Amino acid sequence: MDAHISTLATIPKFWLGDETVFDSAQLINSRPIVVFDSGVGGLTVARQLEKLLPNANILYVVDNDWFPYGNKLGSAVAQRVEQLLDELCTQLRPSAIVVACNTASIAIIENGLDQFRYNCFFVTPPIDEALEISENKNIVLLATPSTIESRHIIQKITKAKMHAKIWPIATQALVTLSETKLAGENPSFANFAELIDHHLTKEQRLSVDTVILGCTHFPHLIDDLRKIFPTAENWIDPANKLASQVASLTKKKAASINPPFKITTFTSKHELTKYQKAFSNNGFSISPNH
Ligand code: DGL
């Protein structure tokens, strides 16, 4: 795994259009809900959040400088995310921070960060919910390598295996496919289908009734995944539950600005055009002035 240690000492910057600081008074006073991910995965959470809190100001933070998280060491990701959260809280007064990334959430939980220092909400693969819903107890868990190899998930899977057949499948390729698809391309799933064939026999694959989407990038690919797991009836996406938790606890805090804004900020200016489509299709602008 690439520990990416060399850039750890650098204080993260946030690029809003061409600006490097949150210098808009409107932005600072608006107490936005921050939705955070390494890439476009958090949009699956932001969409649910918007349904429940249509008047909320949302600042979507993309850590594209460190993308992807899923093949890095959990301790390095935890340290990086802590720096980002510190910096965001210094520059803004978010009403809540939604860590819309399973890999980052698990890294933070496992590396003993003070989760209560920030008003944070975390997403983790909903294994218990899958166990409850699955009828035949043949379950696939799709997540990044870092998530699948974490102590937290290994322990949960060991426990789950007492009640169900659960196949954990680590895939970083699916994260890339999700980014490519949201950038407007039509990527091939052949290599991913091959990876599944390495993990499961055809009979096993066609017995799966529940798939856990253990990475926020994966719900973007649900139509493609349905072709690979055609018998799956339950697609467990934690976004809705997470959004409900955020909505019930932040309703009163966010300052209302009419109309509410949805802005995206990046930690690197590199190749920003590839994000344009994904964010504008979801109603996000990449500068406070647009
Ligand atoms: N969206 C992130 C998650 O939920 C992972 C993406 C990445 O590997 O950076 O785990």
Side-chain angles (χ1 to χ4, degrees):
M1 284 190 191
D2 167 15
H4 219 313
I5 299 295
S6 59
T7 48
L8 269 180
T10 322
I11 294 176
K13 284 199 173 72
F14 300 102
W15 298 96
L16 274 167
D18 275 344
E19 306 294 331
T20 57
V21 285
F22 298 117
D23 58 355
S24 149
Q26 190 198 40
L27 187 60
I28 292 167
N29 294 330
S30 66
R31 314 246 13 229
I33 295 177
V34 168
V35 175
F36 168 73
D37 187 30
S38 59
V40 300
L43 282 170
T44 57
V45 177
R47 276 182 203 152
Q48 298 302 327
L49 205 53
E50 217 195 336
K51 279 188 203 154
L52 301 174
L53 294 174
N55 292 321
N57 301 305
I58 301 178
L59 177 71
Y60 190 114
V61 178
V62 184
D63 191 10
N64 56 328
D65 197 25
W66 259 53
F67 174 85
Y69 283 174
N71 59 4
K72 295 186 173 72
L73 289 176
S75 53
V77 170
Q79 208 179 331
R80 166 70 176 179
V81 175
E82 187 175 28
Q83 282 180 326
L84 280 171
L85 299 185
D86 274 347
E87 204 47 35
L88 277 167
C89 291
T90 307
Q91 295 191 34
L92 292 170
R93 286 186 310 135
S95 56
I97 298 178
V98 184
V99 180
C101 174
N102 293 263
T103 310
S105 297
I106 288 174
I108 289 171
I109 293 166
E110 287 211 328
N111 285 278
L113 241 87
D114 180 3
Q115 297 166 36
F116 303 104
R117 196 156 115 216
Y118 318 98
N119 192 13
C120 260
F121 295 83
F122 297 97
V123 64
T124 55
I127 295 175
D128 296 337
E129 199 182 323
L131 286 175
E132 242 170 67
I133 290 177
S134 172
E135 287 221 343
N136 70 5
K137 308 290 178 213
N138 289 343
I139 301 169
V140 157
L141 165 62
L142 299 175
T144 65
S146 176
T147 297
I148 296 281
E149 288 159 21
S150 66
R151 280 191 316 279
H152 180 84
I153 292 299
I154 290 172
Q155 277 167 9
K156 284 222 150 213
I157 291 173
T158 309
K159 238 172 135 189
K161 278 191 171 158
M162 293 195 272
H163 313 283
K165 274 198 192 113
I166 175 159
W167 294 289
I169 298 178
T171 166
Q172 195 60 44
L174 218 48
V175 175
T176 311
L177 286 171
S178 177
E179 293 273 324
T180 311
K181 188 160 188 176
L182 263 76
E185 288 171 42
N186 197 7
S188 161
F189 280 70
N191 288 345
F192 177 69
E194 226 172 83
L195 173 86
I196 297 297
D197 286 344
H198 283 306
H199 280 82
L200 304 174
T201 63
K202 188 173 177 198
E203 197 181 45
Q204 286 171 331
R205 181 169 60 81
L206 296 178
S207 74
V208 169
D209 83 344
T210 301
V211 178
I212 305 169
L213 301 164
C215 167
T216 52
H217 277 74
F218 300 168
H220 290 308
L221 304 175
I222 192 123
D223 293 340
D224 307 279
L225 293 172
R226 277 187 207 281
K227 291 179 198 149
I228 293 168
F229 297 105
T231 52
E233 285 172 11
N234 313 305
W235 294 83
I236 316 285
D237 173 5
N240 201 4
K241 200 167 163 194
L242 178 66
S244 309
Q245 287 167 356
V246 180
S248 61
L249 289 165
T250 54
K251 255 184 187 138
K252 288 186 203 96
K253 274 194 214 149
S256 62
I257 286 188
N258 215 357
F261 66 71
K262 286 167 70 180
I263 296 172
T264 316
T265 182
F266 299 86
T267 54
S268 161
K269 273 179 145 180
H270 190 60
E271 289 186 351
L272 285 192
T273 45
K274 73 176 182 197
Y275 295 102
Q276 190 76 46
K277 199 165 194 154
F279 285 96
S280 61
N281 280 349
N282 285 278
F284 280 87
S285 66
I286 63 169
S287 152
N289 306 316
H290 295 167

